[in-house]
Each structure stands twice: as structure tokens, then as C-alpha cells.
Amino acid sequence: MIARWIIAILVAAILSAGGGYGIGYKQGKGRAEAQANQATLAALTEALATHKTLLVDSKAASVRLSKLLAERYRQDQTTTQELKDALAENAELRAAVRYSDRVVHILTAARQRAVDAATGGLDGALQRSDPVSDE
């Protein structure tokens, strides 16, 4: 009779230990999954914040570029008009390839602006090379 009680107690102890292990395993697995999900969520949140910052920077760069292009267009229009005016002013002298000092000055200034734009970028962001010589 005592042997049955000992066996019953051992079986109950084994079942209790197995059940406790199973419950503990499930809880540990759930905690590990929760931690992994939390880490993934944190990484995604950081990626979205970075993406938002990149979008804001991209928009600012786009607006800046639009302003620079508008300014460049205005300068091009001014230069074109100056050249047209200079050429119209002395169309009869061009046949003999003679220009007035004012026209030469305007042409030199226009050429230098073109060199500056070509070598310096729209906003002077690029390194400029030495000015082009007249020789």
C-alpha cells in the first residue's frame, strides 16, 4: 500500500514538474517573441523616422534647385537680351568685325558669366577654374 502511495506521489511530482516546465517554456517563448517583435517595431520606427527626414531634406533641395533654376533662367534672359541689344546696336559694323568698347565690355562680361556658370554650377557649389584668357 505504501508502494502505491510512493508511486502516486512520484507520478504526481513528475506530472507537476512536466506541467510547470511546459507552462514556463510557453511563457519564456512568449516573452522572447514579444522582445523580438518589440525590437522589430523599434527598427521599423527608426527607419520611418529616417525616411521622413530624407523626404523633408529632398523637398528642401527640390525647392532650392527650383529657385536656382529660376534665377539661372532670369540671368540667361538678361544675357540674351544684352547680346541682342549689343548686336543690333552696331549691325553695320559687324561686317568689318569692329565693335565699340561698350559692346566688347558687354561681350566679355557675358562670356565670364557663362564661364562662371559652366565651371561653378548654378549656385557656385563647384570649384571654379582660372578665367579663360583672351589669347
Side-chain angles (χ1 to χ4, degrees):
M1 178 84 167
I2 294 179
R4 283 186 188 176
W5 280 103
I6 292 175
I7 292 174
I9 291 173
L10 286 175
V11 168
I14 290 172
L15 289 175
S16 295
Y21 175 81
I23 290 171
Y25 179 79
K26 283 184 179 181
Q27 287 178 349
K29 186 177 177 183
R31 284 188 191 128
E33 287 176 356
Q35 287 175 346
N37 289 343
Q38 190 174 16
T40 302
L41 182 61
L44 288 174
T45 301
E46 182 180 342
L48 286 173
T50 301
H51 181 69
K52 182 179 178 182
T53 302
L54 290 173
L55 284 174
V56 169
D57 292 347
S58 173
K59 183 177 179 181
S62 178
V63 168
R64 181 172 172 262
L65 184 59
S66 294
K67 288 179 181 179
L68 289 171
L69 287 173
E71 176 62 21
R72 173 65 187 268
Y73 177 77
R74 188 192 63 75
Q75 289 176 356
D76 287 349
Q77 292 301 315
T78 301
T79 301
T80 300
Q81 189 59 47
E82 286 176 358
L83 288 172
K84 284 181 180 179
D85 292 346
L87 291 173
E89 180 179 304
N90 58 7
E92 68 280 352
L93 296 176
R94 275 185 280 136
V97 190
R98 293 179 295 159
Y99 296 100
S100 67
D101 290 340
R102 187 179 83 74
V103 171
V104 171
H105 177 71
I106 290 172
L107 291 174
T108 302
R111 184 187 67 184
Q112 189 58 47
R113 283 194 305 272
V115 168
D116 289 345
T119 60
L122 293 177
D123 62 349
L126 302 174
Q127 293 290 334
R128 267 188 61 202
S129 61
D130 292 333
V132 177
S133 67
D134 291 334
E135 298 172 0

